[in-house]
């Protein structure tokens, strides 16, 4: 039996933060069973990418992490 999660009881938390070689701050936010987001903050813009699953988001985040 799969465990059911109630979205209202789950908080999105900051999982990791790195600075890439261009000086941008890349942050990984995630809710365990729901959406995950990568936020890229530079001097004058903020970009947010949303993913359905955590493993896809972590794989994409690791690409930014390697570019340091």
């Amino acid at each position: 039996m799969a465990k059911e999660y109630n979205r209202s009881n789950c908080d999105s938390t900051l999982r990791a933060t790195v600075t890439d070689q261009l000086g941008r701050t890349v942050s990984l936010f995630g809710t365990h069973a729901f959406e995950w987001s990568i936020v890229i903050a530079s001097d004058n813009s903020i970009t947010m990418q949303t993913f359905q699953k955590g493993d896809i988001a972590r794989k994409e985040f690791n690409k930014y992490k390697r570019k340091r």
Side-chain angles (χ1 to χ4, degrees), residues 13-67:
T13 58
L14 177 66
R15 304 293 178 153
T17 301
V18 296
T19 303
D20 67 358
Q21 67 184 14
L22 299 175
R24 301 178 297 182
T25 302
V26 182
S27 302
L28 177 65
F29 290 91
T31 305
H32 173 70
F34 300 104
E35 71 272 349
W36 286 69
S37 301
I38 295 176
V39 178
I40 304 168
S42 63
D43 293 333
N44 57 358
S45 68
I46 296 174
T47 305
M48 184 174 184
Q49 298 174 339
T50 304
F51 300 92
Q52 291 291 327
K53 295 185 178 180
D55 55 349
I56 298 169
R58 286 187 296 272
K59 189 181 294 184
E60 186 71 23
F61 181 76
N62 285 333
K63 291 179 185 177
Y64 289 107
K65 199 172 169 181
R66 279 183 273 155
K67 293 181 182 177

